Amino acid sequence: MSKVCHVCGKGPVAGNQVSHSIKHTKRVWNPNLQKIRAMVDGSPRRVLVCTRCLRSNKVQRAM
């Protein structure tokens, strides 16, 4: 699975890590994804969902 939220499409963001000596190196910020069972097209499926979508009830969990 890719590191992308199934609901909102949030994915990794790249940028520079800046040290105290102002040296720049590339780094990646990954979203906080959780693997949950959710209802997708009427059937339960395991999908990766970010915690913000879980907290705001944009996902219907499968029981």
Side-chain angles (χ1 to χ4, degrees):
M1 287 183 163
S2 61
K3 296 178 183 177
V4 176
C5 177
H6 183 75
V7 178
C8 65
K10 182 185 291 186
V13 176
N16 285 316
Q17 179 174 342
V18 183
S19 67
H20 183 65
S21 64
I22 316 176
K23 180 179 253 188
H24 289 65
T25 56
K26 286 291 190 182
R27 67 155 292 184
V28 176
W29 287 269
N30 289 318
N32 188 1
L33 298 177
Q34 306 295 319
K35 191 183 286 189
I36 65 161
R37 284 186 55 192
M39 295 300 286
V40 178
D41 298 330
S43 62
R45 230 176 80 187
R46 285 205 184 275
V47 291
L48 288 175
V49 178
C50 68
T51 52
R52 183 166 293 193
C53 290
L54 281 175
R55 191 176 64 196
S56 59
N57 291 325
K58 293 183 179 178
V59 178
Q60 183 181 6
R61 285 179 172 258
M63 291 295 164

